[in-house]
Amino acid sequence: MSRFGGFPLAGLDFYEDLEADNSKTFWTAHKSVYDEAIKTPMVALTTELEPHFGPAKIFRPYRDVRFSKDKTPYKTAQGAVVRVAPGCGWYVQIGAAGLYIGGGFYAGTPTQLAQLRATIDDEVRGTELEVILAKLTTVGLTVGGDKLKTKPKGYEADHPRIDLLRHKSITCGKEFGAPAWLDTPRASKEVHKAWENMRPLVEWLAAVVS
């Protein structure tokens, strides 16, 4: 296993071209670029971070088009996730736009969502989450996630944490783009730093939805 040396900018160019020509012909002709500039660095990065965060799943580059109207065969970004609980963990992605780093609770069951809302409803635990999210914004991370347009059933519209209760997922992350350090070993340190900043949120969520 080679050491992580950064994400070559050729990977970003590859995805920009793939967005314009998402075909088997293009993929076959440029698969060596994917292997060398995207897959190999992602494997090296996640291997380097594994002692600190756990093993990662690197997503396949092929789309599941069986039930989709969009039949383009290839994903236009490469992601990897470190799961610490079902539907909860850290995430990193490289695509045409550059590097994205994220984490949180992103794909839960109805039971998990009910557990999450019950915990947010609790004055002590809900306030803990508010404090965690506020700290994330101070270090430049954006809090997001899918939300209901109205209040969830069983909760009043004037609940002090109604905005959080509307969440169907709670995530945080940052689009880094293509900074000068992207194709250097420093990229690993930046992912490590961002994931550490997210650790209080990821661990809080994992404890709730596990």
Side-chain angles (χ1 to χ4, degrees), residues 49-54 82 84 88-91 101-104 129 132-133 135-136 139 141 172 191-207:
L49 295 175
E50 182 173 341
H52 307 282
F53 301 96
V82 177
V84 296
C88 184
W90 289 281
Y91 182 74
I101 306 173
L129 179 59
I132 289 170
L133 295 175
K135 288 181 179 178
L136 291 176
V139 295
L141 297 172
C172 67
V191 177
H192 188 288
K193 178 182 176 181
W195 279 3
E196 278 296 344
N197 284 333
M198 298 173 193
R199 187 183 290 278
L201 175 63
V202 170
E203 293 183 345
W204 188 96
L205 291 167

Side-chain angles (χ1 to χ4, degrees), residues 43-117:
V43 171
L45 171 67
T46 53
T47 299
E48 188 170 301
L49 295 175
E50 182 173 341
H52 307 282
F53 301 96
K57 174 185 177 181
I58 297 175
F59 294 113
R60 288 164 51 86
Y62 313 104
R63 296 183 62 249
D64 184 351
V65 300
R66 291 173 298 173
F67 308 107
S68 174
K69 292 182 180 179
D70 180 2
K71 298 300 182 182
T72 51
Y74 304 103
K75 298 174 183 176
T76 53
Q78 177 64 64
V81 62
V82 177
R83 291 194 176 97
V84 296
C88 184
W90 289 281
Y91 182 74
V92 61
Q93 175 181 288
I94 193 76
L99 180 68
Y100 173 78
I101 306 173
F105 171 65
Y106 48 86
T109 65
T111 298
Q112 286 179 308
L113 188 54
Q115 291 172 334
L116 176 62
R117 287 188 174 136

Side-chain angles (χ1 to χ4, degrees), residues 7-76:
F7 285 106
L9 298 183
L12 279 61
D13 294 337
F14 168 85
Y15 276 122
E16 185 174 349
D17 292 339
L18 182 63
E19 289 177 358
D21 182 9
N22 196 318
S23 67
K24 190 175 189 301
T25 300
F26 174 86
W27 182 269
T28 301
H30 298 86
K31 187 175 183 299
S32 61
V33 179
Y34 169 79
D35 289 336
E36 296 168 12
I38 299 161
K39 183 178 179 180
T40 296
M42 185 64 81
V43 171
L45 171 67
T46 53
T47 299
E48 188 170 301
L49 295 175
E50 182 173 341
H52 307 282
F53 301 96
K57 174 185 177 181
I58 297 175
F59 294 113
R60 288 164 51 86
Y62 313 104
R63 296 183 62 249
D64 184 351
V65 300
R66 291 173 298 173
F67 308 107
S68 174
K69 292 182 180 179
D70 180 2
K71 298 300 182 182
T72 51
Y74 304 103
K75 298 174 183 176
T76 53

